[in-house]
Amino acid sequence: GSPGAVVGELTALQCYIDADEDENLFTCEWVWDEATHHSLLAVGGEHRQIKLIDVHTSRVVSVLRGHGAPIYNLRFLPNTSLGSDQARMARPGRPAHCGAQGGAQAGLPSLLASASRDESVRLWHVR
């Protein structure tokens, strides 16, 4: 729907329509960037890429590629140190472990996790 469209009792305030008419978006994640005072929306879907959209300008600011199948889940990780510099993908019979070095700092969380039908979880450094 378009901005201002009423859906039941809800009113759409803003709408993002992907430039690729064949893209089906399955997941999104919202984050506030204290450094720029802008909100970012990460979206992923059928075309195996993640787009980071500046909500204030409606501009795609970055495209992350690497999954081999549609993306079904996105999550920004808190901006705190996880105490490890390794990231491993989960496989049957082996526990999952994901981590990254980093410290707390103002602004956008530095890590975005994505899960795909290709049976992988990827960590992306966004900053």
Side-chain angles (χ1 to χ4, degrees):
S2 60
V6 177
V7 180
E9 297 294 319
L10 302 176
T11 301
L13 300 177
Q14 189 172 348
C15 181
Y16 171 76
I17 299 173
D18 197 272
D20 182 349
E21 292 180 7
D22 295 328
E23 174 66 286
N24 293 305
L25 299 174
F26 301 136
T27 184
C28 64
E29 177 77 347
W30 182 282
V31 70
W32 174 256
D33 185 350
E34 281 290 331
T36 65
H37 298 286
H38 282 203
S39 296
L40 287 180
L41 183 66
V43 298
E46 187 73 35
H47 288 177
R48 307 177 318 257
Q49 60 188 5
I50 300 163
K51 293 183 181 179
L52 298 175
I53 303 159
D54 182 318
V55 175
H56 298 266
T57 64
S58 297
R59 187 174 70 87
V60 175
V61 295
S62 185
V63 178
L64 308 173
R65 295 177 179 93
H67 277 293
I71 298 165
Y72 289 119
N73 204 343
L74 297 169
R75 199 66 75 228
F76 280 102
L77 283 82
N79 200 358
T80 58
S81 178
L82 299 175
S84 172
D85 61 357
Q86 298 177 347
R88 293 191 301 167
M89 300 303 130
R91 291 198 174 93
R94 188 173 88 186
H97 169 80
C98 293
Q101 267 187 328
Q105 55 182 270
L108 186 68
S110 59
L111 292 177
L112 174 67
S114 61
S116 168
R117 197 170 84 199
D118 67 7
E119 299 181 356
S120 72
V121 174
R122 294 180 184 259
L123 294 177
W124 306 88
H125 188 258
V126 177
R127 229 3 175 174

